[in-house]
Amino acid sequence: MTLTGNDEHTGRPRRQPRITRPWRPVAALIGLTLAGGLLLTGCGASDSNGSSTDGSNKSGGRGFPQPAPNRTSGTSQGEQKDTPTGDANREFAPSPDYLSTFALDVDTASYGYARRALADGRLPEASTVRPEEFVNSFRQDYRRPDGNGFSVTVDGARTREKDWSLVRVGLATRDAAQSGKRPPAALTFVIDISGSMGEPGRLDLAQDALGVMTDRLRDDDSVAVVTFSDEARTVLPMTRLGHHRDRVHDVIRGLEPTESTNLGAGVRTGYATAVEGLREGATNRVVLISDALANTGETDADAILENISTARREHGITLFGVGVGSEYGDALMERLADKGDGHTTYVSNPEDARKVFCEQLPQNIDLTARDAKAQVAFDPETVKQFRLIGYDDRQVADEDFRNDRVDGGEVGPGHTVTALYAVRTRPGASGHLATASVRWLDPETRAPHEESGQLETGSLDEDLWTSSTRLQVDAVAAYFADDLRTGDEKANPLPGALPLGELADRAHRVASAAEDKAVDELADAVERASGLMG
């Protein structure tokens, strides 16, 4: 279903500091208001029982909360005064306390780095553990749309803690196999050649992967190479591949580690090179490959990004960060990606690198949606309390859901985005539970689009550990991240959490059912963590 509308609010997302346990109680409903004139078109089909839908928006004969309405003035959240249109008895907007709004995030670096730490026999720092990146590291089976944009799938299952369920909001872009339809790419590789990159598994890993990627790119794609240590320089200007692949290979093979890490200079020079080689009608992207251990020059992410803000905003150049190394500047790389209109991943071995630069090449260089945000409106008649698992640094003010001047996330083909909620239902609750909506801008026209899906309480009847395999994988990943964030100091675990040893056993059973190597690796990681935590 496509909904359109514009918001007159302006401003940046109000990003909240990371909170270890951000429980969000549902307060009494304050002034339910009529939603303003939503244009509803192109409905998808719902499941036969109406409990879990892909792009559906059917009320089942009763009123249910819609996403935050368009606002015509600067009234406060508790005093919404939009003029209603359409069926006044059907479309309602919940009070702000029943809304959850965040920018989409397809980062996976947190999980990759945690696996590396565990393989090295140590627990990852709690501050580097972001649950959404654990969950989004695994394949999903959501229905995919035919063109740009998203499909919306909403489902869930009950945990073994009374009245608590896990609700999953799944968003999917078109299949990456359609990459032949993508526009040409203009990629500026910004490669860290500082002394720390001489450690095995850093620069050598990047060189091998970039060599293979160069062979996978199309003739009409372009590549530039910037290196940085104590200073930065462009070693290859933007070059159309065509008959120049050997030249690119020679540059990559010739890279050698030296001196300190002036990451700020590398990013600044990289964007300047990208602007100089800007191609209209192409996907212009900076690919930063580094251990992000900045120790020279500008080392603050916001200051680094301020230097290249014009390139980001006026030219639409996006950032793809690839982290490497046993010691890794996670916070800096994550901040650069979040504020730089991009995403991050982490690679620790040749298999990871080839997957990122080869198998996942289309989704990491192409774009199907810009400034994508999600909003979930919970029904106050059936929901008593909820908690979004993760996305702590991606929060957006509820009223900015339809403010297209507020940053969201950039998403490519073949991606899925999963948001898990712990939801406490009211005793005896029956009927509509939540409406999940996603809003994005077309990458070419910047036209806004929306898609929505519904969830009924009947969808939560099944026990979590007998539910679909992919939902169980997501649950294991979320519970695992929750354990790593808090360890023995956990005072308020996720509902239905298992002791880590029991979670490891559950993970191995899920891995067997999934027949997926990535899930096997998750089970091994949980088992290692269980051993380290004792």
Side-chain angles (χ1 to χ4, degrees), residues 58-72:
K58 297 182 179 180
S59 68
R62 60 180 293 269
F64 58 86
Q66 294 292 322
N70 299 336
R71 297 175 187 272
T72 56

Side-chain angles (χ1 to χ4, degrees), residues 109-110 113 127-128 130 133 291-292 328-335:
S110 176
Y113 186 49
S127 62
T128 69
R130 293 179 290 277
E133 296 185 26
D291 57 16
Y328 168 56
D330 170 80
L332 177 56
M333 186 72 91
E334 192 240 353
R335 183 69 173 167

